[in-house]
Amino acid sequence: MKFRAKIIDIGCLNHLTRVVTTISKLTKTCVLRLTADNLFFVLSGKVANGGVSMWCELSQVNFFDEYQMEGVSSEANEICLEVTAENLSRALKTVQNSKVVKVKLTKKHCPCLTVAAELPTLSSVSRVVTHDVPVDVIPRRLWHEFKEPSMPDFDVSIYLPPLKTMKNVVDRMKNLSNFLVIEANLNGEMNLKIETDLVSVTTHFRDLGNPPWGGEGSQDGGRSQGRDPDSMAHARVDIRKLQQFLTGQQVNPSKAMCNIVHKRIVHLILLHEDASLQYFIPAVA
Amino acid sequence: MDCVVTGGNVKVLAKAIHSLSRIGDELYLEPQEDGLALRSVNSSRSAYACFLFAPLFFSRYSTPSGHAFRCKMAIKSVQAVFRSLASLEKTVEKCHIELDGQKNRLTFALHCKYGLLKTHNLSFQDSESLQAVFDKDSCANTLRVQPRVLVDTVVHFPLSLEEVTVSLSDERVWFRNHVEDEAGNSQSKAMLTEMCLASDEFDHFAVQAQNSITFCLKELRGLLVFAESTGLPISMYFDEPGSPVVLSVTDSVLEVNFVLATLSDDPSLRKNNTKRNKAYQGKKQNQAASPPPPDDFLNDDMDSYLIAMDTSIAPGTSAAGPPSPPSANHTYSHQPAVACHRTRPHSEDEEEEEEQETDDTERPPNKKFRSLFFGSVFATASQMTNQTVTSQEVLASDSEDDTQTESP
């Protein structure tokens, strides 16, 4: 197994750092899958993390100037590592103004992802900083847990309102209730509702628009077909999970969508220029 | 005592106090002939800081004649006087510090703009003098660097990091985070960060011994914040692991010294133990290299063993700078072992105390922080129980071969 990559463009470095920082806000540890073309940050839905799962895909050519990966074997040409995202984020944040950043898979006291950079200085010799982020290699027999999730058979698919607005709303609602209902219909309407014994609060969003696959789209015979455009599909979720998702977002995505499987799952999709992030929040009763 | 600080110096004084607050909970204040000394020490006595403001720093400076005045007070109270640095800078024109002898209060009066006068009356306790004994000139390694360089270095380390290891070679300096290696457990999953600086980033780089020392980063940050605001270079003096590192910032009216204990690794621990044994067997340690004092394993009352720390309440010997042999009017009721230390004229501070970090009593504990000031040593539990002062169990043989140093 071998992995070496190099970043020389400060914009790419910046972007990668932001993606990793976003991941670090969503979960403490996650799995990093390295393939020849992509990097994936995966969190598989387990009871321990409240059933949420995450899939973040980056195309390596958009970030790295050099990228060499030799996987476990030739049929299974990929590397699967468990890493604490915050460590990686911290390592990348400190080297933001360096000329060259190299990331390598190394074996020090344990397997590590080493981030090494040369920082510019006034002296003739540049400062070298290295961060060794310890990782766990995931054995092949467990790789099936970290496969790309399939698009759920959703009832409604809708574009999200501006994330910042949503975050403000959810932040205030969090003070009132632990659970929030997201409902949306195929007419571009979405509501965020909380209900307690004392109070119920609903925030209405209009004219959001629905992605083209809701309705006729790729889901032939899917649940959203032939659906009454005004009827709302909803799911009740743990408000903290939604808040965590919204807080972590540092950059406005080019597209942000939400798929709702009625009373089952909320599937959030954010598309950036060269990275995509999917987040699944299961519904609670 | 009566002194007045004006203008921009008020802010410097305030920053000094904030810096000291990161070391310990109490501020020791002592007006001396050569200036006002503000000192603090942490609870485990492994970090000490002293800010000495020369009389020229003040627009008026008068010390009490007659008996020396020393006091200590809760540092939080003093910080409250100088709470907001930004407003201090804008509104305070001068600060008047005065001792009110009758009421036993120290008055801090801030004369602000528009005729505003804020007076803080702080009560204090009489205290022993607090002084670390150290000698910068005898240290093997001396570095001097602009604070910006060190600030840029420590930014790579997380704020929660306790200890940092600094290693020197002829041309380079490495800063690494120090990870406690639980005995036998090399699977430590902590992130390791290392930063390498070239010698030409330093204003002065004199290395005689290529050592590595480990000390507490948090305490260093306190000094860095102060130094960066003044823009003065920081000098670092150190020797082998176990002996304290001295960091200082100096200018014409101010001298700041931070003395931090360094971790001593296992091999040198063993070496020191044997030195202690030998020393105890009767040799007087009048050597230039400073062997640690004989152990006293029975009494772990820390306060009894303040040796290099000149804790006399009697007047006189609390001079700043290199120590002189203690005067005769120190009154301690210790064992003879202690007395013989204090006649040691050697200048380097090596009184050490070891705190047990592991409960492993089967072998000498892996690492011990050495306190700067105590002569007693905390032995392992097994030694404590059946040890008398007159006989010591040799912890390790005096052999030159040895144990692998740990890799960082």
Coordinates of all heavy atoms in Angstrom, one line a residue, chain A residues 4-10 12-14 16-17 63-67 88 91-104 114-120 129-131:
Chain A
R4 N 1.1 8.7 -2.0 CA 1.9 10.0 -1.9 C 1.1 11.0 -2.8 O 0.8 10.7 -3.9 CB 3.3 9.8 -2.5 CG 4.1 8.7 -1.9 CD 5.2 8.5 -2.9 NE 6.3 9.4 -2.5 CZ 7.2 9.1 -1.5 NH1 7.0 8.0 -0.8 NH2 8.1 9.9 -1.2
A5 N 1.0 12.2 -2.2 CA 0.3 13.2 -3.0 C 0.9 14.6 -2.7 O 1.4 14.7 -1.6 CB -1.2 13.2 -2.7
K6 N 0.8 15.5 -3.7 CA 1.4 16.8 -3.5 C 0.4 17.9 -3.9 O -0.2 17.7 -4.9 CB 2.7 16.8 -4.3 CG 3.6 18.0 -4.0 CD 5.0 17.7 -4.4 CE 5.3 18.1 -5.8 NZ 6.7 18.2 -6.1
I7 N 0.4 18.9 -3.1 CA -0.4 20.1 -3.5 C 0.5 21.3 -3.6 O 1.2 21.6 -2.7 CB -1.5 20.4 -2.4 CG1 -2.3 19.2 -2.1 CG2 -2.4 21.6 -2.9 CD1 -3.4 19.4 -1.1
I8 N 0.4 22.0 -4.7 CA 1.2 23.2 -4.8 C 0.4 24.5 -5.0 O 0.8 25.6 -4.8 CB 2.3 23.2 -5.9 CG1 1.6 22.8 -7.2 CG2 3.4 22.2 -5.5 CD1 2.6 22.7 -8.4
D9 N -0.9 24.3 -5.3 CA -1.7 25.4 -5.5 C -2.4 25.8 -4.2 O -3.1 25.0 -3.6 CB -2.8 25.1 -6.6 CG -3.7 26.3 -6.8 OD1 -3.2 27.3 -7.2 OD2 -4.9 26.1 -6.6
I10 N -2.3 27.1 -3.8 CA -2.8 27.5 -2.6 C -4.3 27.4 -2.5 O -4.9 27.1 -1.5 CB -2.3 28.9 -2.2 CG1 -2.4 29.1 -0.7 CG2 -3.0 30.0 -2.9 CD1 -1.6 30.3 -0.2
C12 N -6.2 25.2 -4.1 CA -6.6 23.8 -3.9 C -6.4 23.4 -2.4 O -7.2 22.7 -1.8 CB -5.7 22.9 -4.7 SG -5.9 23.1 -6.5
L13 N -5.3 23.9 -1.9 CA -5.0 23.5 -0.5 C -6.1 24.1 0.4 O -6.6 23.4 1.3 CB -3.6 24.1 -0.1 CG -3.2 23.9 1.4 CD1 -3.1 22.5 1.7 CD2 -1.9 24.6 1.6
N14 N -6.4 25.3 0.1 CA -7.5 26.0 0.9 C -8.8 25.2 0.8 O -9.5 25.0 1.8 CB -7.7 27.3 0.2 CG -8.2 28.3 1.2 OD1 -9.3 28.3 1.6 ND2 -7.3 29.3 1.6
L16 N -9.3 22.1 0.0 CA -9.2 20.8 0.7 C -9.3 20.9 2.2 O -10.0 20.2 2.8 CB -7.9 20.1 0.3 CG -7.7 18.7 1.0 CD1 -8.7 17.7 0.5 CD2 -6.3 18.2 0.8
T17 N -8.7 22.0 2.7 CA -8.7 22.2 4.1 C -10.2 22.5 4.5 O -10.6 22.0 5.6 CB -7.9 23.4 4.5 OG1 -6.6 23.2 3.9 CG2 -7.8 23.6 6.0
F63 N -7.5 18.6 -6.8 CA -6.8 19.1 -5.6 C -5.4 18.9 -5.7 O -4.6 19.7 -5.3 CB -7.4 18.3 -4.3 CG -8.8 18.7 -4.0 CD1 -9.8 17.9 -4.6 CD2 -9.1 19.7 -3.2 CE1 -11.1 18.2 -4.3 CE2 -10.4 20.1 -3.0 CZ -11.4 19.3 -3.5
F64 N -5.0 17.7 -6.1 CA -3.5 17.4 -6.0 C -2.8 17.6 -7.3 O -3.3 17.2 -8.4 CB -3.4 15.9 -5.6 CG -4.0 15.6 -4.2 CD1 -5.2 15.1 -4.1 CD2 -3.2 15.9 -3.1 CE1 -5.8 14.9 -2.9 CE2 -3.8 15.7 -1.8 CZ -5.0 15.1 -1.7
D65 N -1.6 18.0 -7.2 CA -0.8 18.2 -8.4 C -0.1 16.9 -8.8 O 0.1 16.6 -9.9 CB 0.3 19.2 -8.0 CG 0.9 19.8 -9.3 OD1 0.1 20.5 -10.0 OD2 2.1 19.6 -9.5
E66 N 0.2 16.1 -7.8 CA 0.7 14.8 -8.0 C -0.1 13.8 -7.1 O -0.3 14.2 -5.9 CB 2.2 14.7 -7.6 CG 3.1 15.2 -8.6 CD 4.5 15.3 -8.0 OE1 4.9 14.4 -7.2 OE2 5.3 16.2 -8.4
Y67 N -0.3 12.7 -7.6 CA -1.1 11.7 -6.8 C -0.7 10.3 -7.2 O -0.9 9.9 -8.3 CB -2.6 12.0 -7.1 CG -3.6 11.2 -6.3 CD1 -4.2 11.7 -5.2 CD2 -4.0 9.9 -6.8 CE1 -5.1 11.0 -4.5 CE2 -5.0 9.2 -6.1 CZ -5.5 9.7 -4.9 OH -6.4 9.0 -4.2
L88 N -6.6 15.8 11.0 CA -6.2 16.1 9.6 C -6.5 17.6 9.3 O -5.7 18.3 8.7 CB -7.0 15.2 8.6 CG -6.5 15.1 7.2 CD1 -5.0 14.8 7.2 CD2 -7.3 14.1 6.5
A91 N -3.9 19.8 10.9 CA -2.6 19.7 10.2 C -2.7 20.6 9.0 O -1.7 21.3 8.7 CB -2.3 18.3 9.8
L92 N -3.8 20.5 8.2 CA -3.9 21.3 7.0 C -4.0 22.8 7.3 O -3.5 23.6 6.5 CB -5.1 20.8 6.2 CG -4.9 19.4 5.5 CD1 -6.2 18.9 4.9 CD2 -3.8 19.4 4.5
K93 N -4.7 23.1 8.3 CA -4.9 24.5 8.6 C -3.6 25.2 8.9 O -3.4 26.4 8.6 CB -5.8 24.7 9.8 CG -7.3 24.6 9.4 CD -8.2 25.2 10.5 CE -8.9 24.2 11.3 NZ -10.1 24.6 11.9
T94 N -2.7 24.5 9.6 CA -1.4 25.2 9.9 C -0.5 25.4 8.8 O 0.4 26.2 8.9 CB -0.7 24.5 11.0 OG1 -0.3 23.2 10.5 CG2 -1.5 24.3 12.3
V95 N -0.7 24.7 7.7 CA 0.2 24.8 6.6 C -0.3 25.6 5.4 O 0.1 25.5 4.3 CB 0.7 23.4 6.1 CG1 1.4 22.7 7.2 CG2 -0.4 22.6 5.6
Q96 N -1.3 26.5 5.7 CA -2.0 27.2 4.6 C -1.1 28.0 3.8 O -1.4 28.2 2.6 CB -3.1 28.0 5.2 CG -4.3 27.2 5.6 CD -5.0 26.5 4.5 OE1 -5.5 27.1 3.6 NE2 -4.9 25.2 4.5
N97 N -0.1 28.6 4.4 CA 0.7 29.5 3.5 C 2.0 28.9 3.1 O 3.0 29.5 2.9 CB 1.0 30.8 4.3 CG 1.6 30.6 5.6 OD1 1.6 29.5 6.1 ND2 2.2 31.6 6.1
S98 N 2.0 27.6 2.9 CA 3.3 26.9 2.5 C 3.4 26.8 1.0 O 2.4 26.9 0.3 CB 3.4 25.6 3.1 OG 2.2 24.8 2.9
K99 N 4.6 26.6 0.5 CA 4.8 26.5 -0.9 C 4.3 25.1 -1.4 O 3.7 25.0 -2.5 CB 6.3 26.6 -1.2 CG 6.9 28.0 -0.7 CD 8.3 28.1 -1.0 CE 9.2 27.9 0.2 NZ 10.6 28.1 0.0
V100 N 4.7 24.1 -0.7 CA 4.4 22.8 -1.2 C 3.8 22.0 0.0 O 4.4 22.0 1.1 CB 5.6 22.0 -1.7 CG1 5.3 20.6 -2.0 CG2 6.2 22.7 -2.9
V101 N 2.8 21.2 -0.2 CA 2.3 20.4 0.9 C 2.3 18.9 0.4 O 1.8 18.7 -0.7 CB 0.9 20.7 1.4 CG1 0.4 19.7 2.4 CG2 0.9 22.1 1.9
K102 N 2.9 18.0 1.1 CA 2.9 16.6 0.7 C 2.1 15.8 1.7 O 2.3 16.0 2.9 CB 4.4 16.1 0.7 CG 5.2 16.8 -0.4 CD 6.6 16.1 -0.5 CE 7.5 17.0 -1.3 NZ 8.9 16.9 -0.9
V103 N 1.3 14.9 1.2 CA 0.6 14.0 2.1 C 1.1 12.6 1.7 O 1.1 12.2 0.5 CB -0.9 14.1 1.9 CG1 -1.6 13.2 2.8 CG2 -1.4 15.6 2.0
K104 N 1.5 11.9 2.7 CA 1.9 10.5 2.4 C 1.4 9.6 3.5 O 1.2 9.9 4.6 CB 3.5 10.4 2.6 CG 4.3 11.3 1.7 CD 5.7 11.0 1.9 CE 6.2 11.8 3.1 NZ 7.6 12.1 2.9
T114 N 1.0 11.4 6.9 CA 2.0 12.5 7.2 C 1.7 13.7 6.3 O 1.7 13.5 5.1 CB 3.4 12.0 7.1 OG1 3.6 10.9 8.0 CG2 4.4 13.1 7.4
V115 N 1.5 14.8 6.9 CA 1.4 16.0 6.1 C 2.6 16.8 6.4 O 3.0 17.2 7.5 CB 0.1 16.9 6.6 CG1 0.0 18.2 5.9 CG2 -1.1 16.1 6.5
A116 N 3.4 17.1 5.3 CA 4.6 17.7 5.4 C 4.6 19.0 4.6 O 4.2 18.9 3.4 CB 5.8 16.8 5.0
A117 N 5.1 20.1 5.1 CA 5.1 21.3 4.3 C 6.3 22.1 4.6 O 6.9 22.0 5.7 CB 3.9 22.1 4.7
E118 N 6.7 22.9 3.6 CA 7.8 23.9 3.8 C 7.1 25.2 3.9 O 6.4 25.7 3.0 CB 8.7 23.8 2.6 CG 9.6 22.7 2.5 CD 10.4 22.7 1.2 OE1 10.7 23.8 0.7 OE2 10.7 21.6 0.8
L119 N 7.5 25.9 5.0 CA 6.9 27.2 5.2 C 7.9 28.3 4.7 O 9.1 28.1 5.0 CB 6.5 27.4 6.6 CG 5.5 26.5 7.1 CD1 5.3 26.6 8.6 CD2 4.1 26.8 6.5
P120 N 7.4 29.3 4.1 CA 8.3 30.3 3.7 C 8.9 31.1 4.9 O 8.2 31.3 5.9 CB 7.5 31.3 2.9 CG 6.1 31.1 3.3 CD 6.0 29.7 3.8
V129 N 7.6 21.7 8.5 CA 6.7 21.2 9.5 C 6.1 19.9 9.1 O 5.7 19.8 7.9 CB 5.7 22.3 9.9 CG1 4.8 22.6 8.7 CG2 4.9 21.9 11.1
T130 N 6.1 19.0 10.0 CA 5.4 17.7 9.7 C 4.4 17.4 10.7 O 4.7 17.5 11.9 CB 6.4 16.5 9.6 OG1 7.3 16.6 10.7 CG2 7.1 16.4 8.3
H131 N 3.3 16.9 10.3 CA 2.3 16.4 11.2 C 2.0 15.0 10.9 O 1.8 14.6 9.7 CB 1.0 17.2 11.0 CG 1.0 18.6 11.3 ND1 0.8 19.1 12.5 CD2 1.2 19.7 10.5 CE1 0.9 20.4 12.5 NE2 1.2 20.8 11.3

